[in-house]
Amino acid sequence: MTDTARATTALDTLSAAGVAVWLDDLSRERLRTGNLADLARTHRVVGVTTNPTIFASALSKGNAYDEQLAELAAAGVETEAAVLDITVDDVREAADVLRPVYDESGTVDGRVSLEVDPRLAKDADATLAQARELWSRIDRPNAFIKIPATEDGLAAIEGAIADGISVNVTLIFSLERYRKVMEAYLSGLEKALAAGRDLAPIGSVASFFVSRVDAAIDPKLDELGTPEAKELRGKAAIANARLAYAAYEEIFSGERWAGLAASGAQPQRPLWASTGVKDKAYPDTMYVDELVVTGVVNTMPEATLLAVADHGQIRGDSVSGTEQESAAVIEALRGVGIEIDDVTEALEAEAIRKFEASWTELLETVSDGLARAAGNGSTEEAGQ
């Protein structure tokens, strides 16, 4: 079936509703086989996000990285430098695949994200230094540097934007932190403008995590076991995200933003992250179907992407006008003894720990690969 003859899917409807469809995955195999280009052509994929977990998984499977590992081992490259070489190469290649999307969208989409070392999350200066290094090494205008939205990360986010570096702000769970992220973005743009930078190419998304909120709150509701608690299962994450969109609308319709927009700035789009359903009792497309509104990004693991294409229920805007209803959900949670701010604070700490663990796993995987490559090289030379 030709591209023009393919059946319309829910992804087409989602895209038409103004939601940018991004893939939450990247691997060299996906690049080499042309899979990413195929998804861009057939599944409306217009961006890619990565994280240490994704790269650790990619490197542990198959042999797509063997040639580069052999080259790095022969050159005596240390493990941490090798990790940066490998991940930068993948992101640069993916950015080239999506460059036509970037150009056609007026620099809005076609973006590919690479995260700073999560071990730097509490060091703003070191985070900003690595953001500058990664931005320079990738050397593609459609890259995003991912910086965690920790308290210390906020200064690095502002500094990176001021430098003209496009940023994907990640690991946002709470509304309070999200407001600080938007403040950091606006302040960074103001500094960039004062320095004479062209604001138009500077892009940013704010990655607001969704499913992990329900995964943390639902067990608390189950433990309570009351009818009121049971009624709230599966509602917290969507309500939290919808309130985040209301905050976005408030900030990006104000006078401060209007002045920056007049100077060519792009809004910092909300990005729904962690959209794979963790509880099989829920529809597997729930965190896509229920968060449809123009001007946002939804980054999906491949399983969710394919599920939406197959049976997503996109019924138009499912966010606008829900602020009061969403606030009532948060208040009802408080009524049964669950403070969402406590939950989101714990989720941020947990997420940093998990990404640090994934980074360690990535380092170990690359270290093992370098050792194998060096051993194979020695064996081959001995046999010559």
Side-chain angles (χ1 to χ4, degrees), residues 131-146:
R132 288 167 173 158
E133 178 189 2
L134 294 176
W135 180 255
S136 176
R137 289 185 60 174
I138 297 170
D139 193 27
R140 296 294 187 272
N142 53 325
F144 268 143
I145 306 303
K146 285 180 82 172

Side-chain angles (χ1 to χ4, degrees), residues 163-348:
D163 282 354
I165 297 171
S166 293
V167 176
N168 177 343
V169 183
T170 189
L171 298 184
I172 308 171
F173 295 93
S174 75
L175 296 175
E176 179 184 2
R177 186 61 53 80
Y178 180 39
R179 286 184 175 277
K180 290 182 179 180
V181 166
M182 291 188 284
E183 165 65 27
Y185 179 61
L186 296 182
S187 295
L189 287 176
E190 287 164 349
K191 289 181 178 179
L193 184 61
R197 295 189 184 279
D198 180 7
L199 300 188
I202 304 174
S204 185
V205 292
S207 295
F208 202 88
F209 278 53
V210 185
S211 69
R212 294 190 195 185
V213 174
D214 280 339
I217 287 179
D218 282 353
K220 298 177 185 295
L221 295 170
D222 292 341
E223 187 175 346
L224 289 168
T226 64
E228 293 83 2
K230 290 178 181 179
E231 181 64 25
L232 290 167
R233 285 192 98 258
K235 293 184 177 180
I238 290 169
N240 197 41
R242 287 172 171 173
L243 288 172
Y245 185 79
Y248 161 77
E249 284 192 302
E250 175 193 333
I251 297 300
F252 286 91
S253 61
E255 290 185 13
R256 185 180 180 190
W257 167 246
L260 289 165
S263 296
Q266 299 181 32
Q268 182 187 55
R269 290 182 294 171
L271 179 150
W272 309 132
S274 182
T275 56
V277 171
K278 307 280 193 293
D279 187 333
K280 292 183 179 179
Y282 301 143
D284 56 0
T285 63
M286 181 171 79
Y287 298 118
V288 179
D289 300 341
E290 300 299 329
L291 292 173
V292 178
V293 63
T294 189
V296 303
V297 178
N298 194 308
T299 185
M300 311 175 205
E302 186 173 32
T304 304
L305 179 80
L306 298 179
V308 174
D310 181 66
H311 54 265
Q313 300 294 313
I314 310 302
R315 300 176 295 275
D317 188 336
S318 54
V319 175
S320 297
T322 62
E323 184 177 1
Q324 185 173 350
E325 171 191 339
S326 299
V329 170
I330 304 304
E331 186 59 33
L333 286 167
R334 187 172 292 115
V336 298
I338 297 174
E339 292 288 343
I340 195 166
D341 289 344
D342 294 340
V343 173
T344 56
E345 183 178 350
L347 282 170
E348 179 187 297

